[in-house]
Amino acid sequence: MHQQPTPAPQAGWPDAFTGAESPETATTRALALHQAGGLAAAEPIYRAVLTHHPAYFPALHLLGLLRAMMGDPAGAVPFLRRAIAADPGHGFVHSNLGNALVELGHAKEGLECFDRAIALDPGLLEARIGRGNALHALGRHDESLAAHDSARALGADMPELHNNRGNALRALKRPEEALAAYDEALARQPTYAAAHANRATALSDLNRDAEALASIGIALMLRPDDPGALNTQGVILRALQRPEEALASFDRAIALAPRLADAHASRTAALCDLGRHEEALASADAALALSDSAAAHRNRAAALARLDRHAEAEAADRAALRTNEASGEAWNGRGNALVELGRFEEALECFTRADDLHPGNRSISYNRGNALRGLGRHEEAIQAFRRAQSIDPDFADAHWNEALSRLALGELEAGFAGYEWRWRRKGHAPHRHAASPLWHGEEMAGETLLLHAEQGLGDTIQMARYLPLAAARGARVVLEVQPPLIPLLRGMKGVAEIITPGDEAPPHAAQCPLMSLPMALGTGSDSIPAPIRFPAIDPMRVAAWNQSLPSGRLRLGIACSGNPRHLGDKHRSIPLERFAALLGPDVDAYLIQTELRPADAAFLATRPNFTDLGPRLTSFTETAAALEAMDAIVCVDTSVAHLAGTLGRPVHLLLPPLPDWRWMLDRPDAPWYPGMRLHRRARGEEWDTVIARIAEILLAEARLAA
């Protein structure tokens, strides 16, 4: 807020300054134009006066004030400094210089100006308000609020005071009080666009996003081309899950103000929402080029994390913390990157720092739980997830991850109950048949029950054991599964009809996703049903495989990788060359998977006793027949493991340090597949070491068999 003297304007003055005219008369004439809004007409008169009288205080001060009012604080500062040099005894000039310096980002120097202004004129309310703004810019929000309150205690009641108080309160995370302050500002000036925009941010803080959108809409009606308001509108649209509209708002803000770093940063987030992560990273880089701030580095880290470039994301968050060690967001983001990198102890330290800065934040507790899960400390992880739930009882991811930890601990009944939260997780595929009643295991007495696959092929194979149990409750079972599995599941006991997700489901009394069957049928750690064999497997095909493969040496089936698009693929798939220890002279190895990655193909070509069976695996029934012909199978956690386990084959399953819930913890066997042996890689251990142990076991067994 700039202050100026206010003599009464006079009409009829000439437009130009002449040397014969006194500087007082000319300056008074220019001031009248200035106060009437004729800034462009007043400026040349002030400048002409200063040409003849370079140290004339009123013209220096008023020209500096005019440049500030025209949005040119950089142009204002030299004239205000010259005015103070000519006459340092006016508090309002120091105050106006302070305002210009704060606008230029020199808040510390601006604060000194306000302190001098108040020392010269303790009753200068504008200086007290300006001092509050400088403190706000310096991040000293408690002092900023106190400065504004001191001005109010002295009688200040202008709209700017209440708006600025609201800004301080919002920075202190007191959004209800901030909203009240913005309302006070608008009660005094209903057309105060900045207050409407700030009110929108407070409403957004309170998760009242629909109201926030209305408030920012008013601000933009008053100032349609305000880049800051357009940026705020985009932020609110993102919160309302309208990312395309949000992106359009950010793009318009950037078109109007290409150097507005906040808009580039916000645009990054919208592009991430839309899955356009490479573009998001470019936008984050643009924001960082404009502002080397903690927020800009944090934003870049978020984009890198979406691209699975977690080492770079961790470095970006470290850069954010070098800029602002009190950035709880950066501590939290760095912790997440460290979790992805398997550096769980360091991640816990980050979450502790983040929690100190933002106590009561649900995401920090949740992320802490993930780090504890990574360390195998599942009981502690459950406590962290439950703390996140206490903050937000509807936090689906926290309920879901608690369920995963309980399942890993063998607490199957509680775990499968919590597993139902998967449907409420953001980004989870919708429940195709949610409109139909959910089956809870009750008797069906001849009514149709629709059971449907929802996750991967291996999950469907694992849950097939429940189909006869559902039929035993009197249901006519219609099974909806992925098309590749239909030949394998055809003819299963209790299944009346098989359809695909693309088919129209027949009328049914109830439905149940396959992964909900353990809950519906009350599965506990001592009541896991045994796998059932698939009647569609033709013994003649098994015999054909046995006849076609050489005999006399160990037939070893290997599956090193699965679907590369699987979210956990990087933790389960292993380069084929790591299996070299298994390829001894007494082994005929066979790759039993349909996808072959380029690096694996190159290794395979160097091993004459290693054959790729992929081209012959034309169906799951053919794959099953091939597995039946193997003496042993070594594989990672893919559908091949579930199929081989269901067939009762001698399977050696390779598991990462944080395995899927169904393999539980520590135990060397699998309760879902009694003939399977589990080989767990310890943290810090290489796959080569684990595979070498399996090679020793196979060699010992071969010697015993001989």
Side-chain angles (χ1 to χ4, degrees), residues 1-3 65 68 73 77 80 92-105 110-111 113-114 126-127 129-131 133-134:
M1 179 184 300
H2 301 282
Q3 187 187 34
L65 182 64
V77 166
L80 294 171
F92 58 82
V93 186
H94 291 278
S95 180
N96 287 336
L97 177 59
N99 286 327
L101 289 166
V102 170
E103 286 185 57
L104 290 169
L111 180 62
C113 291
F114 294 124
E126 288 81 357
I129 295 171
R131 185 174 187 274
N133 291 341

Side-chain angles (χ1 to χ4, degrees), residues 7-89:
Q10 300 178 33
W13 292 332
D15 290 336
F17 172 70
T18 64
E21 188 179 18
S22 71
E24 294 85 354
T25 301
T27 301
T28 302
R29 179 161 55 85
L31 178 59
L33 294 167
H34 186 156
Q35 292 175 318
L39 303 184
E43 181 171 4
I45 302 175
Y46 290 140
R47 289 187 180 276
V49 169
L50 292 172
T51 299
H52 293 274
H53 304 279
Y56 185 55
F57 167 80
L60 287 167
H61 170 233
L62 291 170
L63 182 54
L65 182 64
L66 180 145
R67 292 311 308 164
M69 293 174 69
M70 293 184 76
D72 178 24
V77 166
F79 292 108
L80 294 171
R81 290 194 193 282
R82 285 169 60 189
I84 290 170
D87 187 347

Side-chain angles (χ1 to χ4, degrees), residues 226-351:
D226 183 332
L230 286 164
N231 181 59
T232 298
Q233 177 180 256
V235 170
I236 295 165
L237 287 165
R238 274 197 68 230
L240 290 167
Q241 297 185 15
R242 293 159 62 177
E244 291 281 5
E245 295 170 80
L247 182 61
S249 194
F250 298 138
D251 284 343
R252 187 175 167 213
I254 291 168
L256 291 164
R259 298 190 61 78
L260 182 61
D262 284 350
H264 286 281
S266 300
R267 184 174 185 272
T268 302
L271 288 165
C272 283
D273 293 340
L274 293 166
R276 294 159 58 179
H277 300 135
E278 292 287 357
E279 293 175 75
L281 181 58
S283 189
D285 287 337
L288 192 58
L290 295 168
S291 171
D292 185 33
S293 65
H297 286 287
R298 167 85 278 277
N299 217 34
R300 185 171 186 271
L304 287 163
R306 296 291 189 94
L307 289 165
D308 288 331
R309 292 162 59 176
H310 299 293
E312 294 171 81
E314 190 270 336
D317 273 320
R318 273 191 284 111
L321 291 166
R322 283 195 296 271
T323 303
N324 177 14
E325 195 176 5
S327 173
E329 294 83 1
W331 282 112
N332 190 41
R334 181 171 180 244
N336 286 335
L338 289 166
V339 166
E340 292 292 338
L341 294 168
R343 294 158 58 184
F344 302 111
E345 291 92 347
E346 293 174 77
L348 285 174
E349 294 173 9
C350 290
F351 296 136

Side-chain angles (χ1 to χ4, degrees), residues 677 696-706:
R677 283 185 274 184
E696 291 175 6
I697 292 170
L698 293 174
L699 180 60
E701 291 177 347
R703 287 173 179 162
L704 284 174

Side-chain angles (χ1 to χ4, degrees), residues 101 136 284 592 629:
L101 289 166
H136 179 76
I592 304 182

